[in-house]
Amino acid sequence: MHTKETKMQAFGRLLDILDELRVKCPWDKKQTNESLRTNTIEETYELCEAIIKNEISGIKKELGDVLLHVIFYAKIAEEKGQFDIADVCNALCDKLIFRHPHVFGAGHAETANEVEQNWEQIKLKEKGGNKTVLEGVPASLPSIAKAHRIQDKARNVGFDWEQKEDVWEKVREEFTELQNEINAMDAERIENEFGDLFFSLINAARLYKINPDNALERTNQKFIYRFNYMEKKAAEQGKSLKDMKLAEMETLWQEAKNERKLNKQ
């Protein structure tokens, strides 16, 4: 691994390259906060995908892309006389020191749970910080991540199940209410109850230390693998999936499950 000095040199090299690109490259020169925003979201999701797949080289690459966007926004702000990357770093350092009094001050926390329990109260005390517990949840977060974050913030101020097993009664309650609305054929209420059921399941995942977004994405990837396997095997038989009977597709689906298990051994 590199020393602190070589890390600083690499970061300085990156800053120098971006400075030159802003002057000499027509594409980089015309970028704004607004034009970069969509790309930033895309790069963040690509990083998350690499993390889910545990692709180390991919994680390294995508971290670089995300870092480029961070310094790009700071460069644009510097050109406008608003702030620069040093201000970004210093503000972050100040925030980390303030939020970790058990490390940099007289605070006390022996476990990660104790740190998390103190976190929201510390943020409420910050100058210009959140005025309410849930104010810090970004409105633009995807729904699953937002639900998980809302529940986590509520937990940090003590609003949570006393025993994690208790959550399953709530899950069963929401499932029963959904079934009742389905039987009543009320589309709006069915949607509401689906939302309540999803929210309770996300809560259960949180209590069992499972990130629901990661869990769902792993299932997405598993489904993609199996479905692609079915398509490939159907094509080898000179068929299309839409021309196959459900029983034939189920046979290929089970083959795909067994194939993936063997590949993981």
Side-chain angles (χ1 to χ4, degrees):
M1 293 292 104
H2 295 90
T3 64
K4 180 178 179 180
E5 288 71 22
T6 55
K7 292 174 184 176
M8 296 300 293
Q9 289 172 2
F11 189 67
R13 180 184 175 210
L14 180 57
L15 295 178
D16 290 341
I17 289 173
L18 184 60
D19 286 347
E20 192 163 358
L21 289 174
R22 282 291 281 181
V23 173
K24 298 180 179 179
C25 175
W27 187 89
D28 289 280
K29 188 187 301 185
K30 75 174 186 177
Q31 297 310 307
T32 64
N33 287 342
E34 291 73 21
S35 68
L36 288 172
R37 177 182 173 276
T38 302
N39 288 338
T40 303
I41 295 171
E42 181 179 333
E43 298 295 355
T44 303
Y45 274 106
E46 288 178 356
L47 170 61
C48 292
E49 182 177 355
I51 292 171
I52 286 287
K53 294 180 178 179
N54 196 29
E55 296 175 344
I56 304 305
S57 61
I59 293 173
K60 181 177 71 174
K61 172 186 174 297
E62 300 304 337
L63 281 172
D65 292 341
V66 171
L67 177 58
L68 172 60
H69 280 247
V70 171
I71 65 170
F72 214 139
Y73 289 117
K75 179 62 180 176
I76 292 171
E78 180 181 355
E79 292 167 353
K80 296 178 179 179
Q82 298 168 333
F83 59 83
D84 62 18
I85 193 65
D87 296 314
V88 173
C89 292
N90 284 326
L92 176 58
C93 290
D94 291 342
K95 181 169 69 174
L96 289 173
I97 291 170
F98 181 83
R99 292 187 181 181
H100 293 80
H102 55 288
V103 176
F104 301 106
H108 179 79
E110 292 292 338
T111 67
N113 282 339
E114 288 178 0
V115 174
E116 290 176 354
Q117 287 170 3
N118 294 335
W119 193 258
E120 296 303 330
Q121 294 302 319
I122 291 172
K123 286 198 287 187
L124 288 171
K125 294 177 183 176
E126 279 182 324
K127 183 179 180 181
N130 300 330
K131 294 181 175 59
T132 66
V133 172
L134 298 183
E135 187 177 339
V137 179
S140 58
L141 271 181
S143 297
I144 291 177
K146 184 187 291 186
H148 187 262
R149 193 75 184 100
I150 288 169
Q151 295 164 2
D152 204 43
K153 280 182 169 289
R155 173 186 67 87
N156 286 338
V157 295
F159 188 71
D160 203 2
W161 301 96
E162 291 187 2
Q163 301 293 329
K164 64 182 180 182
E165 293 80 7
D166 296 341
V167 74
W168 295 113
E169 181 60 34
K170 184 63 175 176
V171 171
R172 286 189 287 269
E173 175 189 322
E174 297 297 353
F175 183 69
T176 299
E177 290 179 1
L178 171 61
Q179 287 181 309
N180 291 338
E181 295 304 337
I182 289 174
N183 292 336
M185 300 295 289
D186 187 321
E188 183 177 348
R189 293 180 68 87
I190 290 172
E191 181 180 282
N192 289 338
E193 294 303 335
F194 260 116
D196 290 347
L197 178 59
F198 290 154
F199 195 85
S200 65
L201 285 170
I202 292 167
N203 214 353
R206 176 187 60 80
L207 288 164
Y208 283 85
K209 308 300 182 184
I210 299 298
N211 184 299
D213 194 68
N214 289 349
L216 181 57
E217 181 55 25
R218 290 185 189 280
T219 296
N220 288 340
Q221 293 301 320
K222 183 166 57 179
F223 185 92
I224 289 170
Y225 174 86
R226 293 175 184 175
F227 197 86
N228 288 344
Y229 180 95
M230 289 198 306
E231 282 191 308
K232 177 183 175 184
K233 291 300 180 179
E236 289 175 359
Q237 298 174 23
K239 299 179 180 178
S240 169
L241 286 179
K242 66 180 180 180
D243 298 324
M244 299 181 76
K245 294 181 179 179
L246 186 58
E248 293 177 286
M249 287 191 280
E250 177 62 25
T251 298
L252 294 180
W253 183 266
Q254 294 301 323
E255 284 183 17
K257 288 176 65 174
N258 294 332
E259 179 77 13
R260 193 169 179 85
K261 288 178 182 178
L262 289 173
N263 289 339
K264 288 186 175 182
Q265 291 179 353

